[in-house]
């Protein structure tokens, strides 16, 4: 049996933050990835292991064999990206024979991860959700239902390599653009996997999240934030400026949902305030480390450290979060803020004042500087190779 540690499976900035949280407790960390190398540059990660990813037919076998090859038996396995969450949850019995895992099985977790099931469960619990339309998978012009535009199209689950999965949200402002967007999305992931909803007005300032660690259907620690700025500014692929706030409505709704599935593990539940009726509407659930996970420790609620304690059967005591504490993804927040300024939605002094509350950065840390130094050139390289070059090749 190898010495006890943690295995982070996939992810990027959230995995980096979790590795730092575990490293502060002297926990050995291994990182398994087929995508971003960023967390592997942290001094808190001892081993980086490349693997073929969740789509490979031998993905499960790889994880089982990796425990033997790298002496990871008995280590805590934390899936840190959507496809990895599903793989681990669906194969919980097999993986739990070698690793320690704090996560429900797929029969329960699918009610949080699969959006149609999520919205059904929310409706059954009386939770507010955006208006969601029932669309025929094979849609033609005559089948377009009565939609109130604008609407958004989303994949039914996170993760994947399709364009809509990477974009997360596609907007349509009229019937023609909707039909085109729907057919394109259906061609990528199948019409039955496309969710169509009303667009709730507002940007990042209207978005809130509930962040927590749960164990056996009960919260161990929890707090709420406002995802004040995001990139892109209209439909955030990622948050860029997040600050701790008190939003009790998010706590009440998230507790009801997570208790209904008996949740265990890390979780972020996303909401958006609808100014039209004053409600907070459920958008998404992420049962894994999220991009702004580094804010947890800075806000005084170290969910990563508490996850380790929980996995080892030790009780954790949660402190009250420090309201106003903020996290920033500097490079992308600068771009988002500039766009907001050009629209008149953000003043220069307000942007500069926001730095005063930042206690955590997406990649940089004074005691672990290397990831922060390589994050910008790494992002630029990934954009060049994975997006721009693919567009050029596809056009040719």
């Amino acid at each position: 049996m190898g010495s006890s540690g943690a295995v982070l499976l996939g992810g990027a900035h959230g995995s980096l933050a979790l590795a730092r949280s575990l490293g502060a407790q002297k926990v050995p960390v291994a990182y398994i990835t087929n995508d971003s190398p960023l967390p592997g540059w942290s001094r808190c990660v001892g081993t980086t292991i490349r693997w073929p990813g969740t789509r490979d037919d031998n993905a499960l076998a790889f994880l089982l064999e990796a425990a033997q090859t790298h002496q990871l038996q008995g280590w805590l396995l934390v899936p840190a990206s959507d496809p990895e969450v599903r793989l681990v949850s669906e194969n919980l019995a097999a993986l739990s024979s070698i690793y320690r895992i704090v996560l429900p099985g797929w029969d329960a977790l699918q009610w949080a991860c699969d959006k149609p099931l999520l919205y059904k469960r929310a409706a059954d619990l009386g939770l507010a959700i955006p208006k969601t339309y029932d669309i025929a998978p094979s849609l033609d012009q005559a089948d377009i239902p009565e939609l109130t535009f604008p609407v958004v199209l989303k994949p039914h689950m996170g993760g994947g390599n399709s364009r809509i999965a990477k974009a997360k949200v596609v907007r349509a402002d009229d019937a023609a653009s909707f039909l085109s967007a729907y057919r394109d999305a259906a061609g990528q992931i199948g019409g039955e996997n496309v969710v169509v909803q009303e667009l709730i007005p507002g940007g990042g300032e209207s978005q809130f999240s509930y962040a927590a660690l749960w164990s056996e259907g009960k919260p161990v620690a929890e707090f709420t934030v406002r995802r004040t700025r995001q990139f892109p500014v209209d439909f955030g692929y990622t948050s860029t400026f997040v600050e701790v706030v008190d939003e009790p409505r998010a706590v009440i709704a998230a507790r009801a949902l997570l208790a209904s599935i008996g949740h265990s593990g890390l979780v972020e539940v996303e909401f958006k305030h609808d100014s039209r009726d004053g409600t907070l509407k459920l958008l998404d659930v992420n049962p894994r480390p999220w991009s702004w996970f580094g804010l947890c420790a800075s806000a005084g609620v170290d969910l990563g450290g508490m996850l380790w304690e929980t996995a080892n059967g030790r009780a954790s005591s949660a402190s009250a979060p420090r309201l106003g504490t903020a996290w920033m993804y500097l490079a992308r927040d600068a771009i988002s803020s500039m766009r907001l300024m050009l629209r008149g939605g953000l003043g220069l002094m307000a942007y500069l004042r926001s730095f005063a509350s930042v206690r955590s950065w997406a990649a940089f840390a004074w005691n672990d500087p290397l990831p922060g130094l390589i994050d910008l050139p790494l992002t630029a390289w990934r954009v060049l190779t994975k997006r721009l070059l693919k567009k050029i090749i596809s056009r040719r």
Side-chain angles (χ1 to χ4, degrees), residues 234-311:
D234 294 317
F235 303 112
Y237 178 79
T238 186
S239 301
T240 64
F241 182 71
V242 178
E243 49 192 339
V244 180
V245 298
D246 183 24
E247 181 43 87
R249 294 177 300 169
V251 175
I252 293 170
R255 283 180 178 176
L257 175 67
L258 297 171
S260 76
I261 66 170
H263 187 66
S264 288
L266 300 169
V267 65
E268 179 205 17
V269 185
E270 299 177 11
F271 299 88
K272 191 166 186 179
H273 174 74
D274 191 337
S275 59
R276 299 169 300 181
D277 59 15
T279 61
L280 197 65
K281 293 181 176 176
L282 174 67
L283 298 181
D284 203 2
V285 178
N286 301 307
R288 52 167 174 76
W290 43 94
S291 61
W292 51 270
F293 190 79
L295 179 58
C296 301
S298 300
V301 187
D302 186 3
L303 298 181
M306 285 184 273
L307 172 64
W308 178 252
E309 295 297 313
T310 298

Side-chain angles (χ1 to χ4, degrees), residues 167-181:
K168 293 189 177 181
V169 177
V170 174
R171 173 174 174 158
D173 291 311
D174 52 44
S177 61
F178 166 72
L179 186 60
S180 175

Side-chain angles (χ1 to χ4, degrees), residues 333-350:
D333 190 60
I335 297 172
S336 295
S337 297
M338 185 177 299
R339 290 179 179 173
L340 288 171
M341 289 181 207
L342 292 173
R343 294 181 179 183
L346 178 67
L348 177 60
M349 293 308 299

Side-chain angles (χ1 to χ4, degrees), residues 40-391:
W41 290 95
S42 171
R43 66 178 182 84
C44 300
V45 175
T47 303
T48 297
I49 303 166
R50 300 294 300 185
W51 80 314
T54 59
R55 292 178 175 272
D56 189 87
D57 292 339
N58 295 315
L60 176 60
F62 183 97
L63 295 178
L64 297 174
E65 292 169 5
Q68 302 289 334
T69 303
H70 299 279
Q71 296 296 296
L72 306 176
Q73 301 99 323
W75 284 36
L76 173 66
L77 177 64
V78 184
S81 192
D82 294 325
E84 285 80 355
V85 166
R86 180 167 185 170
L87 175 70
V88 171
S89 182
E90 287 183 331
N91 296 280
L92 195 60
L95 290 168
S96 294
S97 66
I98 294 181
Y99 299 100
R100 283 177 292 157
I101 301 171
V102 184
L103 194 72
W106 190 244
D107 57 339
L109 195 59
Q110 64 180 331
W111 290 92
C113 294
D114 188 310
K115 288 184 179 64
L117 294 180
L118 169 64
Y119 298 138
K120 182 179 185 305
R121 177 59 57 90
D124 290 344
L125 294 170
L127 306 180
I129 60 173
K131 183 177 180 180
T132 305
Y133 296 96
D134 187 16
I135 307 294
S138 55
L139 180 69
D140 59 37
Q141 186 75 42
D143 292 328
I144 297 179
E146 288 293 328
L147 304 179
T148 301
F149 292 102
V151 297
V152 293
L153 294 80
K154 310 175 183 179
H156 75 125
M157 294 187 64
N161 294 318
S162 63
R163 293 190 308 279
I164 189 171
K166 291 179 178 179
K168 293 189 177 181
V169 177
V170 174
R171 173 174 174 158
D173 291 311
D174 52 44
S177 61
F178 166 72
L179 186 60
S180 175
Y182 186 85
R183 285 174 172 169
D184 183 49
Q188 297 171 48
I189 61 175
E192 68 279 5
N193 296 321
V194 180
V195 176
V196 179
Q197 289 183 328
E198 66 172 337
L199 171 64
I200 300 175
E205 78 287 347
S206 300
Q207 293 199 210
F208 297 84
S209 283
Y210 166 90
L213 170 68
W214 278 56
S215 179
E216 298 179 351
K218 296 181 180 179
V220 176
E222 58 192 3
F223 68 103
T224 54
V225 305
R226 179 170 54 227
R227 301 170 62 193
T228 307
R229 293 195 292 269
Q230 57 189 0
F231 178 85
V233 294
D234 294 317
F235 303 112
Y237 178 79
T238 186
S239 301
T240 64
F241 182 71
V242 178
E243 49 192 339
V244 180
V245 298
D246 183 24
E247 181 43 87
R249 294 177 300 169
V251 175
I252 293 170
R255 283 180 178 176
L257 175 67
L258 297 171
S260 76
I261 66 170
H263 187 66
S264 288
L266 300 169
V267 65
E268 179 205 17
V269 185
E270 299 177 11
F271 299 88
K272 191 166 186 179
H273 174 74
D274 191 337
S275 59
R276 299 169 300 181
D277 59 15
T279 61
L280 197 65
K281 293 181 176 176
L282 174 67
L283 298 181
D284 203 2
V285 178
N286 301 307
R288 52 167 174 76
W290 43 94
S291 61
W292 51 270
F293 190 79
L295 179 58
C296 301
S298 300
V301 187
D302 186 3
L303 298 181
M306 285 184 273
L307 172 64
W308 178 252
E309 295 297 313
T310 298
N312 285 281
R314 297 191 288 266
S316 296
S317 57
S319 302
R322 291 189 280 269
L323 296 178
T325 306
W327 169 98
M328 182 182 285
Y329 192 164
L330 180 59
R332 288 185 169 176
D333 190 60
I335 297 172
S336 295
S337 297
M338 185 177 299
R339 290 179 179 173
L340 288 171
M341 289 181 207
L342 292 173
R343 294 181 179 183
L346 178 67
L348 177 60
M349 293 308 299
Y351 169 65
L352 295 176
R353 282 195 298 269
S354 66
F355 282 83
S357 60
V358 177
R359 297 294 180 269
S360 178
W361 304 91
F364 184 77
W366 288 108
N367 62 350
D368 186 26
L370 192 54
L373 297 176
I374 71 167
D375 185 43
L376 185 58
L378 177 63
T379 299
W381 174 252
R382 285 163 62 82
V383 169
L384 176 64
T385 57
K386 289 199 169 186
R387 297 183 186 177
L388 298 183
L389 290 182
K390 280 185 177 181
K391 286 183 179 179

